[in-house]
Amino acid sequence: MEGDTDLQFLLVGGDLLKVRSSSWKKTRFYKLQEDCQTMWHESKKTFKFKQTFSIKDISAVRAGRQSEGLRKNTEEPVEGRCFSIIFKGRRKNLDLMASSEEEAKQWVTSLEKIIWIFNCLRKADKNSDNKLSLKELKDFLHQINIEVDDQYAEKLFQECDQSKCGHLAGDEIEHFYSLLTHRQEIDTIYGEYAKTMGFMSAENLLEFLIKEQREEATLADAHRLINKYELDDKAKEKQLMTQDGFLMYLHMPEGLVLNPTHKAVHQDMSQPLNHYFISSSHNTYLMEDQLKGPSSTEAYARALIKGCRCVELDCWDGSDGEPVIYHGYTLTSKILFKDTIKAIKEYAFKTSDYPVILSLENHCSVEQQRVMAQHMSSILGSALLTSPLGDQMPTGFPSPEELKERFLVKGKRLTKLEACFGPEETAGDDGSLTEEEEDDKEEEEEEKKKEGKKLKLAKELSDMVIYCKSVHFNGFQDAKDNLGFYEMSSFKERKAMALAEESANSYIHHNVDKLSRIYPAGTRTDSSNYNPVPLWNAGCQIVSLNFQTSCNDMDVNQGRFLTNGKTGYVLKPAYMRDLGSEFDPITLTAGPWLHRFPLCHSQIISAQQLPKVNQKKTSIVDALVKVEIHGVPADTADKETPYIGNNGFNPMWNENFKFDVYVPELALVRFVVEDHDSVTDNDFVGQFTVPFTSLQMGKLVVIPFTSLQMGTLIS
């Protein structure tokens, strides 16, 4: 594995915080020994190395706070920095914390890779003699997801069998692995710029950064990268970068396709709330389908941890005077409203500090509405917004920055917001259905007769609705003439899609002043999703999806909110925040949004160690890559490579794709790896979606997979 960046990372080692209790957390320096089989650690007090464990004793490496010890002794915000090493037998887990999420992922990835390689070799060595026969070698190749014909296997075997004894051992196995993992594409790239005694000098590296990666780099930047990523001390002293150091750089955040400066909050968060796209969930309580699946507070925790900022609560009368949440008139299970509010409070600001909107679908009696209000008040406390900010009637929304760590309630309200600053109006029956019932009333009139057409509101609950009062939509002109900025409508996907297609510019103007929420059609009983992109193109902020369903649409949604610190808020382009804007994503006339000479050039070179998605023993991945552009209709496109048969280990394509991108601020790029199937649909292997404006030129795409391996594409 010489030259493998994951192995080199372990050999270099690094500081980790060892966690034994809430009070016992100590820094230890961990590294892999040269035998590649033993991990050692050094105490900062004694500066002595001690043997810690053998790689073969590891059962699993688990990312996050999955162990009992880490859950008990660390806080939720450090989830991404934690991992545990689980040992075979009765040995206690080793709970560790890295200095950053990226470093923790690198430790987990590197350890899993070396464990995987050892396990594959051990399984291949059927008679446990530490040697590989030709048959065992072929079994090993199959385990690591590569199919070769007998002739090639024999050729590879003979090339490595230096002793000519009919089996491989020691250095011969090492030579075999180096042949297998040799990356010709890296040789080519490195060789083109390694012009100083066969190595890259700082000047050579700078040339690569400027020419290939289109960076505005300086010689100082090149020296910094050499000092940071070069593994060979002698080369580093001479300010040279070896191929191993170059490969290490390519796999680090600076060498990846996502602009590292966009990982943190980098947008202006002081704009009005409705000037942002807001990550939103539909029927958040559901874990599975919409008809008979379980409801759980865990679903809220999962959505909020993913950065969701608008969650939905369908509230119904429960027994013992306690309101419950479930999908009404279905067989979905019920959870207590108060337990849900507790879970929301616990997880609301773990990933993002910015405000959470509680979207209430209220079916409760007045008595249980008062209970709902009491629970929200007592559990959420001062974090619950119960009056407008400031001492006079606002004319627009406050900003996410002003609303940090606050909860906003969305629902029906008995009075205008102006009543907060004048004589109190008498509370009464507003004659309203719940919001989604109201929007669906023409299609579901018979059902409405059964359940009653009017809903009475408790004043205590009504008064908690401040900036998100739910009203029926009667057209864009009516909304402009008669509704306050805080009065918002919800649209079923079909109605919203029609408006976005037929009246896109009017919809954009509507959303400059107000909020819009979109939700899936009732026919999506399987919790499938719809494409959120056309609604974002029309300026809709709260495009709610079924977060529990993994699919293309959810991938795109997570890609939209991948940047800006994963706050769940992404600032809309300036031309979607201007009441005078003439932008229309359908007609796409000239304007500041239009780039006349746009081009997205993607080169798909290779991948490594793709996981098997078909678990049949004889199955080998037939890998292909798709590159998709999601955005305005003129930009929407996709292209794919040919498939490489029977090679999930190191397929190589060397395919070049070019796309026109006219409205880059609304575009997303999705890289998808699939396992080709000539009979049925291709099997999904992995994907990575990123906003077009967050791409770095000439960088590496790393696609996270759910298995032990990481696959990489160079783009």
Side-chain angles (χ1 to χ4, degrees):
M1 293 177 67
E2 196 172 326
D4 184 280
T5 53
D6 294 319
L7 175 65
Q8 294 295 337
F9 176 83
L10 294 177
L11 289 170
V12 171
D15 286 335
L16 292 168
L17 199 65
K18 185 176 179 179
V19 180
R20 283 186 178 171
S21 68
S22 56
S23 59
W24 198 101
K25 298 184 178 96
K26 297 188 179 181
T27 301
R28 296 287 184 263
F29 184 86
Y30 288 87
K31 73 186 295 286
L32 182 66
Q33 290 299 93
E34 293 298 326
D35 64 1
C36 296
Q37 298 184 54
T38 310
M39 288 293 297
W40 287 58
H41 82 261
E42 180 187 47
S43 168
K44 287 292 181 183
K45 263 190 176 180
T46 62
F47 294 99
K48 290 182 179 178
F49 275 104
K50 298 179 181 178
Q51 182 174 342
T52 306
F53 53 85
S54 171
I55 295 298
K56 67 181 181 182
D57 293 333
I58 300 176
S59 172
V61 183
R62 295 178 184 166
R65 297 164 64 245
Q66 294 194 50
S67 72
E68 183 181 353
L70 284 174
R71 284 195 299 270
K72 182 180 177 182
N73 300 316
T74 62
E75 298 298 322
E76 185 70 32
V78 299
E79 173 84 27
R81 292 167 50 199
C82 295
F83 65 97
S84 298
I85 295 175
I86 314 301
F87 294 101
K88 299 170 184 175
R90 297 183 178 182
R91 181 169 179 169
K92 290 183 180 179
N93 299 341
L94 180 58
D95 292 330
L96 300 165
M97 190 190 307
S99 60
S100 67
E101 291 190 13
E102 287 79 11
E103 187 182 347
K105 288 176 184 175
Q106 184 66 63
W107 276 103
V108 172
T109 300
S110 300
L111 286 169
E112 285 181 333
K113 178 184 278 189
I114 197 166
I115 293 165
W116 175 67
I117 293 296
F118 273 109
N119 285 342
C120 288
L121 284 168
R122 189 162 50 248
K123 286 179 183 177
D125 183 14
K126 294 288 197 306
N127 57 5
S128 302
D129 62 356
N130 293 321
K131 299 174 183 177
L132 285 180
S133 65
L134 176 58
K135 184 180 183 306
E136 289 172 333
L137 180 140
K138 289 165 72 173
D139 288 342
F140 172 72
L141 291 174
H142 211 280
Q143 287 178 48
I144 62 173
N145 210 4
I146 185 167
E147 184 72 31
V148 295
D149 60 31
D150 290 345
Q151 189 175 0
Y152 178 74
E154 282 189 42
K155 180 186 174 193
L156 195 64
F157 185 86
Q158 289 168 5
E159 187 174 344
C160 298
D161 185 13
Q162 311 254 329
S163 60
K164 306 300 179 187
C165 60
H167 59 249
L168 307 183
D171 291 343
E172 294 171 334
I173 295 177
E174 187 178 314
H175 180 50
F176 158 70
Y177 188 83
S178 67
L179 286 176
L180 202 62
T181 57
H182 179 243
R183 299 186 65 182
Q184 181 61 46
E185 69 276 23
I186 300 297
D187 287 352
T188 302
I189 297 169
Y190 182 79
E192 187 175 340
Y193 292 93
K195 301 173 182 178
T196 307
M197 299 179 292
F199 299 103
M200 271 189 181
S201 65
E203 290 77 11
N204 301 152
L205 179 58
L206 178 61
E207 183 186 359
F208 169 80
L209 295 173
I210 293 172
K211 185 177 178 181
E212 300 294 342
Q213 303 201 315
R214 308 290 195 274
E215 292 188 24
E216 295 179 1
T218 65
L219 194 59
D221 293 321
H223 283 297
R224 178 181 58 80
L225 293 176
I226 290 173
N227 290 329
K228 189 172 183 179
Y229 297 117
E230 179 50 52
L231 303 167
D232 187 302
D233 290 336
K234 290 182 180 179
K236 190 184 293 186
E237 285 176 13
K238 298 176 182 178
Q239 284 299 286
L240 297 174
M241 181 172 271
T242 64
Q243 187 164 329
D244 287 346
F246 180 65
L247 196 56
M248 178 71 83
Y249 157 67
L250 289 178
H251 282 81
M252 292 298 111
E254 288 171 296
L256 301 183
V257 71
L258 175 61
N259 187 335
T261 65
H262 287 196
K263 286 187 175 183
V265 177
H266 66 97
Q267 294 182 327
D268 179 6
M269 300 302 285
S270 63
Q271 296 292 316
L273 188 75
N274 65 316
H275 285 187
Y276 298 82
F277 297 124
I278 303 172
S279 179
S280 309
S281 164
H282 169 253
N283 287 358
T284 314
Y285 48 89
L286 292 176
M287 299 285 283
E288 297 173 7
D289 64 81
Q290 305 281 314
L291 296 179
K292 53 183 173 43
S295 304
S296 174
T297 58
E298 174 66 22
Y300 287 92
R302 292 181 183 181
L304 291 165
I305 290 295
K306 287 180 179 178
C308 179
R309 296 292 87 188
C310 179
V311 295
E312 186 174 11
L313 301 88
D314 281 0
C315 310
W316 299 79
D317 281 356
S319 58
D320 301 324
E322 285 291 344
V324 296
I325 292 175
Y326 87 113
H327 199 195
Y329 307 109
T330 70
L331 298 177
T332 56
S333 62
K334 299 174 182 178
I335 53 177
L336 290 176
F337 178 83
K338 65 179 178 182
D339 289 346
T340 301
I341 297 299
K342 287 177 183 177
I344 290 172
K345 181 185 180 183
E346 181 179 355
Y347 290 96
F349 306 113
K350 301 294 188 185
T351 298
S352 168
D353 293 332
Y354 291 94
V356 170
I357 300 170
L358 307 178
S359 180
L360 301 183
E361 280 295 316
N362 176 18
H363 306 264
C364 291
S365 62
V366 171
E367 291 76 15
Q368 293 210 12
Q369 288 179 44
R370 293 193 180 106
V371 176
M372 288 167 58
Q374 182 182 356
H375 284 323
M376 286 196 289
S377 180
S378 62
I379 294 169
L380 301 179
S382 60
L384 179 65
L385 193 74
T386 55
S387 62
L389 301 184
D391 54 6
Q392 57 185 0
M393 178 61 197
T395 56
F397 289 95
S399 69
E401 191 67 33
E402 293 174 291
L403 294 169
K404 263 187 172 180
E405 298 193 351
R406 303 298 296 271
F407 294 96
L408 282 64
V409 175
K410 184 184 82 66
K412 294 289 183 179
R413 183 182 167 93
L414 291 168
T415 64
K416 290 279 190 180
L417 189 61
E418 287 80 355
C420 294
F421 300 92
E424 190 169 323
E425 299 177 21
T426 303
D429 183 355
D430 78 342
S432 297
L433 299 165
T434 63
E435 187 176 18
E436 290 191 11
E437 287 171 340
E438 189 174 36
D439 193 54
D440 296 343
K441 62 184 178 181
E442 292 178 6
E443 300 174 22
E444 302 175 2
E445 192 143 346
E446 289 303 314
E447 189 175 332
K448 297 301 174 290
K449 289 177 182 177
K450 296 178 185 176
E451 62 188 72
K453 293 182 180 179
K454 293 185 179 181
L455 173 73
K456 290 187 176 181
L457 290 175
K459 182 178 183 299
E460 295 87 341
L461 185 62
S462 168
D463 288 351
M464 289 178 171
V465 177
I466 305 300
Y467 291 113
C468 301
K469 178 184 177 182
S470 301
V471 297
H472 183 61
F473 179 73
N474 292 308
F476 293 126
Q477 192 61 47
D478 175 77
K480 181 180 179 181
D481 295 341
N482 300 313
L483 298 183
F485 74 90
Y486 57 88
E487 294 178 299
M488 62 175 291
S489 301
S490 286
F491 304 82
K492 187 189 290 186
E493 63 170 276
R494 185 170 62 186
K495 183 174 183 178
M497 290 288 189
L499 289 171
E501 186 172 339
E502 297 162 9
S503 310
N505 186 253
S506 297
Y507 215 167
I508 288 167
H509 288 171
H510 175 81
N511 290 319
V512 171
D513 185 49
K514 296 173 179 63
L515 283 167
S516 290
R517 174 179 171 268
I518 320 299
Y519 62 95
T523 52
R524 294 186 181 275
T525 56
D526 59 351
S527 294
S528 59
N529 280 309
Y530 56 96
N531 182 6
V533 175
L535 289 317
W536 291 329
N537 292 344
C540 297
Q541 303 90 345
I542 304 176
V543 183
S544 302
L545 298 182
N546 292 307
F547 264 54
Q548 72 271 37
T549 303
S550 297
C551 60
N552 295 0
D553 303 311
M554 193 63 206
D555 291 341
V556 170
N557 186 78
Q558 290 303 96
R560 167 61 69 201
F561 297 101
L562 175 68
T563 58
N564 204 34
K566 293 186 179 178
T567 57
Y569 287 85
V570 170
L571 186 63
K572 295 196 284 186
Y575 50 80
M576 302 186 89
R577 297 181 270 128
D578 177 7
L579 279 171
S581 175
E582 297 180 0
F583 174 66
D584 188 315
I586 308 299
T587 59
L588 210 59
T589 55
W593 47 83
L594 195 64
H595 286 232
R596 293 187 178 276
F597 302 103
L599 187 65
C600 174
H601 177 203
S602 179
Q603 183 180 21
I604 305 302
I605 300 176
S606 65
Q608 275 194 308
Q609 300 166 15
L610 303 177
K612 289 185 181 183
V613 288
N614 186 332
Q615 293 306 314
K616 290 181 180 178
K617 189 175 180 181
T618 56
S619 173
I620 300 291
V621 171
D622 300 325
L624 64 85
V625 180
K626 289 183 179 178
V627 182
E628 305 168 351
I629 307 293
H630 298 264
V632 300
D635 289 344
T636 303
D638 64 86
K639 296 180 181 180
E640 67 179 65
T641 68
Y643 71 89
I644 306 295
N646 289 328
N647 188 353
F649 187 78
N650 55 1
M652 187 179 296
W653 296 276
N654 285 318
E655 291 283 325
N656 289 285
F657 298 145
K658 292 182 180 180
F659 299 91
D660 289 330
V661 179
Y662 295 99
V663 188
E665 288 176 291
L666 290 177
L668 298 115
V669 184
R670 183 169 182 254
F671 301 90
V672 191
V673 182
E674 293 182 348
D675 181 7
H676 172 76
D677 194 311
S678 58
V679 179
T680 61
D681 291 339
N682 294 344
D683 289 321
F684 174 81
V685 178
Q687 70 88 38
F688 182 72
T689 304
V690 61
F692 182 83
T693 52
S694 295
L695 288 171
Q696 290 199 104
M697 295 282 193
K699 301 291 185 174
L700 193 71
V701 181
V702 174
I703 297 179
F705 300 115
T706 54
S707 79
L708 296 183
Q709 303 95 300
M710 291 289 289
T712 58
L713 297 161
I714 298 177
S715 172

